[in-house]
Amino acid sequence: MSVEIAPRIRVHKQLVNQGAEADLNHALELLNQVKTGNQEALLRFYRPEPTVAFGQRDTRLAGFAAAEKASRDNGYVPAVRRAGGRAAAYHRGTLVVDHIQPAEDAIAGAKERFGFFGELFADALSSLGVDAGVGEIPGEYCPGEFSVFGRGGHASSSVPDGARIKLIGTAQRVVSGAWLFSSVIVVENSAPIRQVLTDTYAALGLEWNPRTAGAVEDLVPGVTVDAVEAAVLAAYARHTELVHS
């Protein structure tokens, strides 16, 4: 089954943060607006405040309270998201992309969306010089079959040749009449993300390999969040008409 992308999507660049939890919930508010027909298909971009977004399963672990404290101790706000798996961390050096679209049967093609958007984002990063691919990395945080990763090997990269680091995690929420596909791209300053994930995963009692966490600039030094946003928009423009508001 092919993925149907709306022929026209409005681009919304959120310039003012509402707070960690409010920004997560705003995506659900927009999803409700789209499903009721009060909003057209939408592509929302924003740079989040330092946040550790826990999954629903994390909240049921004995170490969850300690993990919340570890987040705060690292300067990150703990929040619980409706979509996605295990804990993920992000800050102002990351870019969140929320694609929200109406659909008569939103469940149809749900898995195919992961593959489609994984390839779309990998193509966007490739245009910036990243050796990008799609697939789970053994030991990655918030593991997923369709994580977008980058391989080391660039002349000035800090990542060993051939080593893979996770750059993008994706999650999806489906409701009657619409779907939300959310992607978090880690672009700059990966060290504090590795640190807060190390502390929170230890508190949760979950194993992972910190060497799998990184940022686009670790592979191609000098790449900025603005450059990644432009590359993502260019990749989208090959599939739909973008309307900038």
Side-chain angles (χ1 to χ4, degrees):
M1 175 183 293
S2 61
V3 174
E4 292 189 12
I5 298 300
R8 166 191 162 105
I9 301 177
R10 185 169 70 84
V11 177
H12 170 56
K13 297 183 181 182
Q14 179 181 314
L15 302 179
V16 179
N17 292 91
Q18 304 171 36
E21 191 123 22
D23 279 331
L24 280 173
N25 290 335
H26 188 49
L28 302 179
E29 293 165 4
L30 292 171
L31 178 62
N32 186 62
Q33 291 175 23
V34 169
K35 84 167 188 176
T36 56
N38 293 319
Q39 182 72 261
E40 61 185 315
L42 182 70
L43 196 59
R44 173 199 184 204
F45 291 85
Y46 71 98
R47 298 175 64 161
E49 296 301 316
T51 308
V52 175
F54 292 96
Q56 297 288 331
R57 288 185 298 163
D58 296 327
T59 66
R60 296 190 284 272
L61 296 176
F64 179 63
E68 288 185 301
K69 181 179 184 302
S71 302
R72 296 189 186 96
D73 289 347
N74 279 276
Y76 285 69
V77 176
V80 179
R81 65 182 187 272
R82 300 283 185 87
R86 294 297 187 184
Y90 38 82
H91 54 35
R92 297 283 294 169
T94 67
L95 180 68
V96 178
V97 183
D98 289 333
H99 180 137
I100 307 167
Q101 181 173 313
E104 288 187 10
D105 185 355
I107 294 177
K111 183 170 183 179
E112 287 79 3
R113 286 180 207 126
F114 282 101
F116 174 83
F117 285 113
E119 293 296 337
L120 184 149
F121 284 107
D123 288 346
L125 295 183
S126 295
S127 73
L128 297 171
V130 178
D131 182 5
V134 180
E136 184 174 342
I137 307 172
E140 70 178 357
Y141 68 92
C142 192
E145 181 182 354
F146 298 97
S147 296
V148 178
F149 60 80
R151 300 178 186 88
H154 192 281
S156 52
S157 169
S158 61
V159 180
D161 190 8
R164 293 185 294 168
I165 59 173
K166 181 170 183 169
L167 301 176
I168 306 177
T170 57
Q172 183 174 193
R173 184 164 178 78
V174 175
V175 297
S176 178
W179 49 264
L180 158 68
F181 197 92
S182 185
S183 307
V184 179
I185 311 171
V186 184
V187 184
E188 305 169 15
N189 197 19
S190 60
I193 286 179
R194 275 190 296 275
Q195 185 60 59
V196 71
L197 288 174
T198 296
D199 294 347
T200 53
Y201 271 62
L204 292 170
L206 299 174
E207 293 186 2
W208 76 296
N209 181 356
R211 287 189 299 245
T212 62
V216 177
E217 70 168 2
D218 296 333
L219 298 168
V220 184
V223 172
T224 64
V225 175
D226 287 342
V228 169
E229 181 181 289
V232 170
L233 286 169
Y236 259 95
R238 292 191 283 272
H239 297 277
T240 185
E241 177 190 359
L242 297 176
V243 180
H244 295 265
S245 57

